[in-house]
Amino acid sequence: MISLQFIDLSYNNFSGPIPNVGIFKQAPAASFTGNPNLCGSEKGISLCNIKSTTKKSRENKLIISVLVPVLSFVLIATLIAIFCIITRQRSKDIDEETTDTDTITFANIMNATENFDEKYCIGKGSFGSVYKATLPTGQIVAVKRMKTTSTDEVPSKNKQSFENEIRALTEVRHRNIIKLYGYCCKESRMYLVYEYMEKGSLGNVLYGVEAILNLDWATRVNIVQDLAHALAYLHHDCNPPIVHRDVSINNVLLEAEMVPRLSDFGTAKLLNPDSSNWTSVAGSYGYMAPELALTMKVTEKCDVYSFGFVTFEIMMGRHPGELLTSLQSSSTSPESLVLLLKDILDQRLLPPTDKETEQVARVLNVALGCTRVSPESRPSMRTVAQELSPRT
């Protein structure tokens, strides 16, 4: 309204500063009387507190200018901290889960075995071959390569064995059971990667030249005790229970300190409480429970029988053969069993001391109960493990 020549705002109860421009600057003081809350330096009325307003405005601007960067910095720092914590925790979780497997790759295994050259083969069986592989980190693993047919197809029996091993060992955690690091299917072949056992199978050691040096009476008793605890774990602590079905002298591996590991779960069966658990015949000849061959019904007592058989073989240094039949047919008491020890124990070792004789006799007495013909009369593996636990 630049053409306005006169203005009178008196007695309107206005408030605030009078603009010092245009007609407002030109109007006399009388044009603003009757407005006690108006202020202005040029009109003879109260001065406006401009400094206070300006100072307050500046203070507000200063606070905002400080708070915004600070809050932004705090927000960014918090986000970075949260990200680092999550990343570190995730890395920790991965490390805990894959401590032994994060360095294992198929390419490393191929390089370590020179494409599975025979010079790295440490064992063969109906399933295929086992190779020793030293990885770039220095870790040593055993690799089982499943056998294929002439058309590069894996036999259905080996496929079932492959699946059984994975199913049984994925959730199993016991110091006397072999550890499965991983598995792989590649180019029509199947591979299982295990921890490496330096001494190989118990059968090789027992019947080899190292038996006298490495398998004294105390060591043999310890091996039997550990094997009993491993089977008790499978039968009573796993859900569903796992029956190994092939407990034999060759399926027990030994580490450097002669600590046993139960291995080869290719015929293992998870017992389903809602089924009858019928199965085909499986297991090693000479260790199989008699009822399994007759009824095809799998129970934990099948492993109990095989365990007893293996125990006799460990103490005798030879396959028990018909000895068990004669012992079962006679009323053998613990006292009479002690008298038989000198005839049935491994003759390559010096006779056991009095204390060792007591331990060996107790072990064989428990083993005798495990090999009873009637499965109902055999003890459970939990009872066996308790009976064989060291006594103070």
Side-chain angles (χ1 to χ4, degrees), residues 159-302:
K159 287 182 180 179
Q160 183 65 44
S161 175
F162 181 76
E163 294 172 359
N164 285 346
E165 290 265 2
I166 297 171
R167 190 182 302 113
L169 293 179
T170 298
E171 301 298 330
V172 168
R173 297 290 184 275
H174 193 278
R175 68 183 297 266
N176 298 119
I177 295 177
I178 196 73
K179 183 184 294 184
L180 178 68
Y181 287 147
Y183 54 91
C184 174
C185 295
K186 190 175 182 66
E187 298 175 355
S188 301
R189 286 184 179 271
M190 297 182 298
Y191 304 85
L192 294 162
V193 184
Y194 306 91
E195 60 178 327
Y196 174 72
M197 294 287 101
E198 182 176 329
K199 294 294 184 180
S201 74
L202 175 57
N204 288 338
V205 178
L206 184 64
Y207 293 111
V209 295
E210 296 184 4
I212 300 176
L213 296 176
N214 295 324
L215 291 177
D216 56 21
W217 297 117
T219 301
R220 298 187 192 207
V221 170
N222 290 336
I223 289 174
V224 171
Q225 291 171 343
D226 288 344
L227 185 57
H229 283 288
L231 288 170
Y233 167 80
L234 293 174
H235 292 180
H236 303 284
D237 296 323
C238 292
N239 186 22
I242 299 174
V243 178
H244 188 278
R245 290 207 299 168
D246 196 13
V247 179
S248 69
I249 205 77
N250 291 320
N251 288 337
V252 177
L253 304 180
L254 298 172
E255 65 174 33
E257 301 301 320
M258 306 305 291
V259 176
R261 299 281 199 281
L262 184 61
S263 69
D264 200 346
F265 282 71
T267 60
K269 185 171 180 63
L270 280 65
L271 295 186
N272 186 348
D274 299 325
S275 72
S276 58
N277 293 304
W278 299 100
T279 183
S280 58
V281 176
S284 298
Y285 177 76
Y287 300 91
M288 192 185 307
E291 73 275 7
L292 185 58
L294 295 174
T295 66
M296 307 293 184
K297 183 175 175 61
V298 179
T299 68
E300 295 94 331
K301 296 301 179 70
C302 298

Side-chain angles (χ1 to χ4, degrees), residues 292-357:
L292 185 58
L294 295 174
T295 66
M296 307 293 184
K297 183 175 175 61
V298 179
T299 68
E300 295 94 331
K301 296 301 179 70
C302 298
D303 282 350
V304 176
Y305 181 91
S306 300
F307 165 81
F309 214 92
V310 167
T311 299
F312 269 101
E313 188 170 2
I314 291 173
M315 294 303 173
M316 295 173 60
R318 63 185 186 278
H319 195 278
E322 300 299 322
L323 174 65
L324 288 182
T325 304
S326 61
L327 290 176
Q328 294 288 358
S329 60
S330 61
S331 56
T332 305
S333 63
E335 293 76 14
S336 60
L337 188 61
V338 172
L339 297 176
L340 291 173
L341 288 183
K342 64 178 182 180
D343 297 324
I344 66 175
L345 292 183
D346 194 338
Q347 300 298 310
R348 295 172 297 174
L349 298 183
L350 292 174
T353 63
D354 292 342
K355 183 178 180 180
E356 291 172 339
T357 298

